[in-house]
Structure formats: C-alpha cells, structure tokens
Amino acid sequence: MNRRNFIFISPGFPDNYENFCIALRANGVNVLGIGDAPYDGLSPRLKGALTEYYRVENMENYDEMFRAVAYLSFRHGKIDWLESNNEYWLTQDARLREDFHITTGLMPKDMALIKFKSKMKAGYEKAGIPTARYHLVSTLAEAQKFIRQVGYPVIVKPDSGVGASDTWKIQNAADLKSFFCNLPAVPYIMEEFVPGEICSYDAIINSKGSVLFETGNISPISIMDCVNEHDSIHFYIVDHLADDLKACGRACIKAFKVRSRFVHLEFFRLLANHPHLGKKGQIVGLEVNMRPSGGPTPDMINFAHSTNCYQHFADMMVYDRLRHKSKATPCFCAFVGRWNEIIYKHSHQEILTTFKSQLKTAEALPEVLAHGMGNYIYLAKLEHKEEMETFFQYLLETEQGTEEAAQNSEEAV
C-alpha cells in the first residue's frame, strides 16, 4: 500500500509547527513541505520528517504555490491532505485544495463564515450563543448612530484579521474622529464593548464532527490592551474546562460544521451584568479560528495535560481517532510575556531560581513574534491555582508597582 501524502505549508514557521510534521511522519505519512525558508535553514528534526521540501521565493505568489503543489503531486502521486494550521494561509490553503481536488479540508466556499468576524455572528447565533452588537464601518455619521445605540467604549478591528492585531478601543468622540481621520483601507467592524475575560475552547475534531480532545485557556486581561499599551501579557491553560464553556464549544463545533481540524474558539465570560448580552458569568461569542491557537499554546497544552497534541492531530488525520492518550492528572500551564522597556522587580535569574522546578520554557522571542507576545516569555507547569497566581504576581511585579505600594502604605499610616 502506498503511503498517503500530506503537504504541509510553511512547516518550519513557527518553530513548534515542525512537531506536526514529525507526528505525521511517525504515523507513516509521506510529509511534503512547501515554504520560503531555505532548506538548509530547517532544523535536523524537520528535515528528518520531510520526504521532500519545495522552496518558493514568495508564498504570497499563488502561481508559485500552484507550481509547487503540481510538482509534488507529479513526483509523489495523489495529495491526500494540504494544511498549514496557520490563520494567514487558510484562504490560500482552501484555494489550493479546490484546484487540486483535495477534499479533506476547507474549501473557498467555506471561508466567509470562518474568516469574517461579521459573518461568524450567524454561526454563534445558530449555536445559541449571544454576541456583541456590531456595525460594519462605513461613515462617521453611521458610526455615531451605532454608538448612540450601544454607548462608549466600542471596539474596532479588521473584519478579517488575526488575533488582536490592529484592534482598538474607542473611548470617546475624539477617539472616534481620530479613527476616521486615519481610516484603514481594509473593511473594519465596530462592536459594542463586552465587559468580560476572554476564554477559549481548543479542540481536535475528527471527520465525523466528534470531539477527540478538548481543553481551553483564560486571559484575565485583554490581549488587545497588552499589545497596544505594552502591558505585560499573561494567560493560562485550564486544568479542567468549565461545563458551560464545554457545552458552548461543542455547540459551535456543530453550528460551524467543523470536520478534521484543530480549532481555537474564543468567547467572553461576562464580568458584570449586561442589558443585551446577559447576566454576569454568561458565555458570549467572540470569534472562531479554524486552526490551533498561536504561539506556544500547543506546547502549553502538552505541559498542562502531559500529552502530545501534535500527535493527537496526526492521529485524527490518519486514523480519525486518538491512539495516544495521557492518563496523567491535568494541571495548569501559565504564560507570561515581559517587555524589554519595563523594569520588573524580579530579574530573569531570580525567576529561574525561584521557579526552577516549575518552569518549562524561558526564552527571548524574535522581533517578528515579540510584538504580540512580549520580548521574553516564560511557561510554567503548576498544580494549583494558588501557585499560578503567585507565579503571575512574582513575574509581573514592576519597580513602579513596588514604589506605588510603598507610597500607599505610608499614606495609610
């Protein structure tokens, strides 16, 4: 029997995505890579997992990508799968699948519902989950009319975009006029502000729409504010999913007709009663991502669950079920991203010493990744929530914060 062929788009970026290729190869798949990085720049582990690698000059050039797939198809036969697991390439992935009759993934007709935030509202509604009221940005007058309905602040972001990139909170009329004076060329969506913490449902779904693996993360503070204001970033993988979040995640899997994917679905949990969205604690839809959560999140999932989600993905693709399951007790995995320009109370070396047994990663990020995550990141595996809160407090405490606390103490005396 011939080995099945899997084309992985950009297998070496981000670095941890090579683990998908390694897991697929371990399952007997012929893994074929297409990317713009020189072959000599790939890691030895990735080179060992790839049967062949085709380098293109520009991955944005569809003709080049088409020729690459055609070449690999000619060399190795029918292509069974083509994936990047990367938000940026999802639309191009779909177009390549359609052109080469690869029927195991999303097609161009599926893109609108999962790429445009305004279109996602219908999927959440079908799942029975409320979402923020919105307005597709057109004129200042129309925006003012919408704001009279929902009030300030409002959130503006690209209707089709990735994460918190180019997302802003408009607090008042002056902010609004400033936004329209510099109105971006791409379509923007304006939404009412939701007073909630962001939580996610991360899952691996087989070809029948059945959930094979599920977990999630919680961001106690807004990633948008962290990126725009350069506040220190922190979030964590939960030890157990809350029942209501699990129910909402599964309802969305059904409503969005998810098949054969590793997904990251985002929600708010209201921190206060809201006249339109519901009572405190209500789950509210934010946006769906038909790919794994970015950055080191897959590694964090592995640490929290003592598992290998890359292997889970490969098992789902090849066998439509999991063949590798962990029996360990889940715990928390915490992320902290720190910025170079902020003076923290505790040094890098102090962190390494204090949390020596819990730390899993402590490393600087390249500039291309640092913008949304911090210049230096720390991942820690922690058994109890109290431990995690101590970890966050220790790493995030700044010299300014220490001085303010001392001043407040003196004033109280």
Side-chain angles (χ1 to χ4, degrees):
M1 179 178 176
N2 292 331
R3 299 175 78 178
R4 286 179 284 179
N5 296 314
F6 192 118
I7 290 182
F8 204 101
I9 304 297
S10 189
F13 183 85
D15 291 347
N16 54 335
Y17 273 28
E18 69 179 28
N19 293 305
F20 287 117
C21 299
I22 292 164
L24 287 162
R25 182 59 177 246
N27 280 1
V29 174
N30 213 31
V31 187
L32 311 167
I34 299 175
D36 55 7
Y39 178 76
D40 289 344
L42 305 182
S43 76
R45 293 177 71 239
L46 179 54
K47 288 178 182 177
L50 295 176
T51 300
E52 188 164 1
Y53 179 73
Y54 189 108
R55 181 175 182 257
V56 297
E57 288 297 325
N58 179 9
M59 291 179 63
E60 305 270 4
N61 185 325
Y62 188 76
D63 288 341
E64 275 198 89
M65 296 298 291
F66 184 95
R67 288 195 297 271
V69 176
Y71 173 83
L72 293 173
S73 179
F74 173 77
R75 289 262 296 162
H76 299 277
K78 179 182 180 297
I79 304 302
D80 299 282
W81 301 279
L82 184 149
E83 297 284 354
S84 66
N85 279 345
N86 189 312
E87 184 77 29
Y88 191 80
W89 302 117
L90 288 188
T91 300
Q92 183 170 265
D93 291 350
R95 185 180 173 189
L96 288 168
R97 285 191 208 99
E98 183 173 65
D99 285 348
F100 286 91
H101 309 290
I102 303 167
T103 59
T104 51
L106 296 165
M107 293 293 175
K109 64 180 176 59
D110 304 316
M111 288 295 106
L113 183 63
I114 66 168
K115 288 291 290 181
F116 291 91
K117 296 175 178 67
S118 56
K119 303 289 187 184
M120 294 173 191
K121 306 282 186 180
Y124 279 115
E125 183 178 6
K126 188 175 180 180
I129 301 166
T131 58
R133 289 169 288 181
Y134 75 99
H135 158 73
L136 286 175
V137 172
S138 55
T139 65
L140 175 60
E142 287 298 314
Q144 290 169 331
K145 180 180 177 182
F146 173 72
I147 293 170
R148 283 196 293 271
Q149 178 187 0
V150 302
Y152 286 109
V154 292
I155 305 299
V156 290
K157 53 192 174 183
D159 194 24
S160 176
V162 182
S165 178
D166 298 317
T167 298
W168 307 95
K169 183 189 292 185
I170 293 179
Q171 304 269 19
N172 49 47
D175 287 350
L176 183 65
K177 288 182 179 178
S178 176
F179 172 72
F180 272 90
C181 284
N182 301 281
L183 190 63
V186 299
Y188 258 63
I189 185 174
M190 178 179 291
E191 294 181 314
E192 66 182 320
F193 177 74
V194 179
E197 69 176 8
I198 295 176
C199 48
S200 78
Y201 176 83
D202 298 77
I204 294 174
I205 316 298
N206 73 5
S207 65
K208 302 176 184 64
S210 299
V211 177
L212 302 183
F213 175 82
E214 58 192 349
T215 185
N217 69 54
I218 291 177
S219 300
I221 59 174
S222 166
I223 300 298
M224 172 190 68
D225 290 339
C226 291
V227 172
N228 292 337
E229 307 298 330
H230 264 214
D231 293 335
S232 298
I233 300 169
H234 68 288
F235 68 93
Y236 61 93
I237 303 295
V238 298
D239 57 345
H240 294 94
L241 271 175
D243 289 341
D244 58 351
L245 184 57
K246 184 184 295 186
C248 287
R250 292 185 173 191
C252 284
I253 294 301
K254 184 177 180 180
F256 285 89
K257 298 180 180 179
V258 179
R259 299 289 186 272
S260 302
R261 299 206 71 77
F262 191 158
V263 300
H264 173 65
L265 313 181
E266 294 181 330
F267 303 87
F268 291 107
R269 184 181 294 279
L270 292 181
L271 296 174
N273 293 341
H274 191 283
H276 172 69
L277 298 172
K279 295 183 177 180
K280 180 180 179 180
Q282 168 74 44
I283 298 295
V284 175
L286 175 53
E287 63 183 72
V288 299
N289 301 280
M290 294 299 160
R291 43 76 181 172
S293 182
T297 307
D299 301 316
M300 293 174 64
I301 290 171
N302 290 344
F303 295 141
H305 293 272
S306 299
T307 194
N308 185 339
C309 64
Y310 304 105
Q311 190 64 57
H312 292 340
F313 172 83
D315 286 355
M316 174 272 291
M317 282 291 181
V318 178
Y319 306 111
D320 218 29
R321 60 184 176 85
L322 298 192
R323 298 203 310 164
H324 305 78
K325 297 182 181 180
S326 172
K327 295 181 180 178
T329 301
C331 62
F332 298 93
C333 185
F335 172 100
V336 171
R338 306 208 312 181
W339 301 102
N340 288 338
E341 64 265 33
I342 296 178
I343 301 173
Y344 296 93
K345 181 179 179 182
H346 301 289
S347 69
H348 171 66
Q349 190 56 51
E350 287 175 318
I351 294 168
L352 297 184
T353 301
T354 304
F355 296 97
K356 181 179 180 181
S357 62
Q358 295 103 326
L359 280 171
K360 293 295 181 181
T361 299
E363 63 182 15
L365 289 183
E367 194 60 38
V368 67
L369 297 176
H371 172 72
M373 300 173 65
N375 301 111
Y376 215 100
I377 67 167
Y378 300 85
L379 309 182
K381 181 175 179 177
L382 304 153
E383 292 186 10
H384 305 292
K385 195 167 186 179
E386 294 76 16
E387 278 185 278
M388 183 173 66
E389 289 169 351
T390 299
F391 176 76
F392 284 144
Q393 182 179 6
Y394 190 91
L395 271 68
L396 296 172
E397 191 171 4
T398 64
E399 289 293 352
Q400 181 182 2
T402 306
E403 291 168 5
E404 287 175 353
Q407 183 178 350
N408 291 338
S409 177
E410 290 173 3
E411 290 173 354
V413 173

